[in-house]
Every structure is written in structure tokens, then in C-alpha cells.
Amino acid sequence: MNIGVIGYGTRIKGVIQNELKKLDPHLQIAGLVDPDPAKHEEARQAGSEQVRIFETPEAMLADMNLDGIIIGTRCSLHTSMALKVLPSGLPLFLEKPVATSLEDALRLKRGYESSGNRKMVVSFPLRVTTIVQWVKEIIDSGKIGTVEHVQAVNNVPYGNVYFQGWYRDEEETGGLFLQKATHDFDYINYVLGMQPESVAAMVSKQIFKGNKPAGLRCTECGDNKTCPESTAFRTDKLREEWAYCCFAEDTGNEDSGSALIRYDSGMHVSYSQNFFARNQAAARGARFFGYKGTLEFDFYTGIIKVYMHHSTRVETYEFGGGEGHFGGDAALMRSFAGLMEGSSEKSVSPLEDGLVSALLCLKARESAATGTFQSVSWE
């Protein structure tokens, strides 16, 4: 298969090399749109020696016969790049978030509906992990009864990435609901099979703030030998990727956030994410409550527990972690490859769901900014 890539970032490089090429060792990046010459060389060194470089997606689409397109640009360009590709009818893998503003989300929704192109896979790997698939199977079986309450959490042990690298630019990321919670909102929506109707949210910035000069690098800071977040003396790639001071005036991004989401059945979900938890404090998962029982799971431990409410029975299921988002990346790439080969017509992570998650995140951000409940609708 020959693919075109728009934005050859670390994430896209990883899924192509670690997942897609396992499915088709002869797969080639045939065309590449990326303004960074270093990315061109990286693609060649990764086995696509004959890659052709284009200045625009339009030029690549007009000049090449491709089997599919992968979009891995910075977040603020996801919508505009997708709108360029959709009319081609080619299978498309689109990084999340699918939009970083309500205006972009609306534009993408309209463009998607008018294009007729349904061959899209949004990068939501958590929903297709083995553990979430099993969670959904247990819940759909009725074992715990109808889900009437959910408590979900994401305590991120690598939160530095959002304060010491390019993610600190909120104009680019759209905030951490769009960057992080979008994954969790998606798998929750997927497991429940319900539509969110309204959201109330709150964010805080209590730790990663300060009066260090804007643009200060750890290597230039006089406190770099004592600061627990210093990357000045690291010997790996994070010395450059997490190069900036997270206690400076320009760190950007909240360092914790929470949301209450009401669904169309009347039930609600509580969700909380934190970006200064570390090491064994890491947690990512949820508790689903029904009248008959409670199911809880955690991605980091790979354990599901089902607690029955009217007996003392507790069921435990254990799973291996898997590579690449707990094994979800491999499932996404299988779906994308199936769309390109024609062996499948249905995406495991369609754009309709990507749009719902983005809308929920955007409304949560608006709620946090205004202190109001927000309707999760396109009106």
C-alpha cells in the first residue's frame, strides 16, 4: 500500500512503523507534506526512500495514486487538513482532537456530511483496547444491570509533556480537555452507548505556574540542579522535548480539571484528570455502577473487577498492557488497513464519535471558563 502523510510527527511515525508496517511490511510513505526537512529525511530512513515531498495536500492528492492518507499535523490544523482530504474519497486516519474550536468542529461536521466519505478512523485507541472491549461486553451482558452512574479518573504520571514542551501552547492544543479527556470521554460514550446532553466543568492551575521568565529553558535556569522537574541533565531525548521551565510565566494549560456530564437517559458521569500525580499514583479508568453490581477497571494495572451487590461474589479479570496505548493502536491500524484494502467498510472509530467527543470537550472548556452548565448540542 502507498500512503500519503500530512504532518510526520512523533505519533504518526510511531503508528506507521510500529503498527501499520507490521500489517503490510511493503507499505510505503509515497507522499509527504511537512515543512520540516528533517522529517523528510526521517521518512526516508524509516524505509520510504522514494517518498515524494509536496508543499500542499492539494498537490499531493492531484499528483499521486494513493491508498490512504494519514494526518498528524499540530492539533489546530486537523480540521483544515481533513477538509482537504475528505472530497477525495480516500481512507483517512485523523489524529485527535478532530477540532480545537467550535467553529472548526462545525466546519468539519458539515464537510464530512457533504463529502459522503465514511472511510475515516479517528485516533481513539482506548475504545478498542482489549480491556475496554471486555468492559463493554460485561456491561452489555446485563451482569451489573443498566449503568446508572460512572466515576472516571485519569491521573497522568507524565504531565510534564503539557507544561515543558510544545503542548504548553494553549492556542495550539485548545486546553487539556481536548488533549487528554477527549480519549476518556470517547471510551465512556462508547461503553455506555448513550449521548451526552449537558456538561458542567471546572479547571485549576495550582502547581505549574510561577514567575520564572517566559521562554526559560531548564538548561539556562539557576535552579536546575535542585528543581524536581528539571530536564537539564537528562541524557535522553526528553532533554529537548521537555526543555522549558514549567514554573514560568508562559507555561499554559490547567494542571487539573473535572467535569460532570449528564446523558440522555438522565444518568450522569463524574470525571477528573490530574497532571501532577507521579509514579504509583498513576491511574486511568472508571467505575460503572448498576443496580446489580459495580464494574471497575484500570488501564495501568490491566485489571477488571466486578462486585456483585446482592452477594459477596467478586470477579477479577487480568489483561496484559500491550504496546501503543495499551494495545489500542494496533486495533486502529487494522481498521485503517481494512478500509484501504477494501476488506472492511466500517471504521472502529468513526468521525461521528470523534465529533461528539470534541464537542463535549469544547463545551466543558466553555463551562469552566464561564461557570455555567453547557448544552452538548450543535445548536
Side-chain angles (χ1 to χ4, degrees):
M1 290 183 287
N2 291 317
I3 60 170
V5 174
I6 303 172
Y8 191 57
T10 301
R11 163 76 175 146
I12 295 308
K13 179 181 177 181
V15 294
I16 291 174
Q17 296 300 318
N18 299 330
E19 308 297 348
L20 199 53
K21 282 204 169 187
K22 289 181 181 178
L23 300 172
D24 180 1
H26 302 295
L27 176 138
Q28 290 287 322
I29 301 174
L32 174 60
V33 181
D34 193 301
D36 185 355
K39 301 297 184 183
H40 309 166
E41 187 57 32
E42 284 183 19
R44 294 188 180 101
Q45 292 179 356
S48 296
E49 295 87 354
Q50 305 303 316
V51 62
R52 294 178 60 191
I53 309 301
F54 295 88
E55 292 189 4
T56 66
E58 293 91 338
M60 181 172 67
L61 289 166
D63 201 42
M64 300 207 74
N65 184 20
L66 298 168
D67 295 298
I69 299 285
I70 293 180
I71 294 176
T73 60
R74 291 285 176 91
C75 304
S76 61
L77 293 175
H78 288 172
T79 293
S80 58
M81 294 299 107
L83 289 171
K84 293 176 186 293
V85 175
L86 276 169
S88 72
L90 287 171
L92 171 62
F93 180 84
L94 178 62
E95 254 307 318
K96 64 79 199 166
V98 299
T100 56
S101 69
L102 184 57
E103 179 185 22
D104 274 357
L106 284 165
R107 286 200 303 130
L108 184 57
K109 181 175 183 290
R110 295 183 187 120
Y112 174 66
E113 291 171 349
S114 64
S115 74
N117 185 354
R118 298 298 178 263
K119 301 175 183 177
M120 291 191 66
V121 178
V122 176
S123 183
F124 280 139
L126 297 188
R127 62 157 54 201
V128 288
T129 55
T130 302
I131 195 168
V132 168
Q133 291 292 306
W134 192 237
V135 166
K136 184 168 176 59
E137 184 172 330
I138 294 171
I139 288 174
D140 288 349
S141 75
K143 179 183 285 287
I144 67 169
T146 304
V147 176
E148 301 297 354
H149 187 205
V150 180
Q151 298 169 343
V153 66
N154 186 7
N155 296 327
V156 183
Y158 49 88
N160 308 67
V161 67
Y162 299 106
F163 307 97
Q164 293 184 267
W166 69 265
Y167 281 104
R168 67 201 261 128
D169 182 357
E170 289 178 280
E171 293 298 313
E172 187 60 59
T173 65
L176 295 186
F177 284 124
L178 278 167
Q179 284 304 313
K180 208 67 184 160
T182 186
H183 282 297
D184 302 292
F185 290 168
D186 176 71
Y187 85 71
I188 293 168
N189 293 342
Y190 170 72
V191 169
L192 293 176
M194 301 178 189
Q195 290 296 310
E197 285 195 340
S198 62
V199 62
M202 186 177 293
V203 298
S204 301
K205 189 173 178 64
Q206 298 293 96
I207 301 296
F208 294 124
K209 59 183 180 179
N211 55 12
K212 294 283 188 181
L216 179 67
R217 288 175 171 266
C218 288
T219 53
E220 302 163 349
C221 179
D223 297 326
N224 62 19
K225 293 181 180 179
T226 57
C227 175
E229 309 298 335
S230 173
T231 59
F233 303 102
R234 294 189 70 120
T235 57
D236 58 15
K237 63 181 181 180
L238 294 184
R239 186 172 186 267
E240 288 302 317
E241 290 184 5
W242 296 357
Y244 294 95
C245 176
C246 57
F247 300 110
E249 300 169 339
D250 61 339
T251 56
N253 291 322
E254 68 273 17
D255 51 34
S256 63
S258 301
L260 289 174
I261 308 162
R262 180 181 292 118
Y263 283 77
D264 52 8
S265 72
M267 63 85 71
H268 78 275
V269 170
S270 67
Y271 171 82
S272 188
Q273 60 182 9
N274 175 284
F275 297 92
F276 51 88
R278 293 292 184 268
N279 301 318
Q280 298 305 307
R284 192 173 200 176
R287 275 193 161 203
F288 294 84
F289 296 84
Y291 177 64
K292 297 179 182 178
T294 294
L295 180 152
E296 71 174 17
F297 83 100
D298 185 275
F299 286 106
Y300 288 108
T301 64
I303 294 175
I304 297 172
K305 286 186 178 291
V306 180
Y307 305 91
M308 302 312 297
H309 290 176
H310 303 105
S311 74
T312 57
R313 189 170 85 247
V314 178
E315 298 177 4
T316 301
Y317 308 83
E318 295 188 29
F319 298 84
E323 296 181 2
H325 284 102
F326 312 102
D329 286 342
L332 290 178
M333 287 298 102
R334 283 195 297 271
S335 180
F336 183 52
L339 293 174
M340 289 193 289
E341 294 166 348
S343 60
S344 173
E345 295 183 356
K346 187 175 181 180
S347 169
V348 297
S349 183
L351 183 60
E352 291 94 339
D353 294 346
L355 286 166
V356 169
S357 177
L359 178 63
L360 181 52
C361 291
L362 289 164
K363 294 293 187 171
R365 186 177 71 183
E366 182 67 16
S367 172
T370 61
T372 60
F373 273 89
Q374 292 288 310
S375 173
V376 184
S377 72
W378 297 103
E379 301 299 325

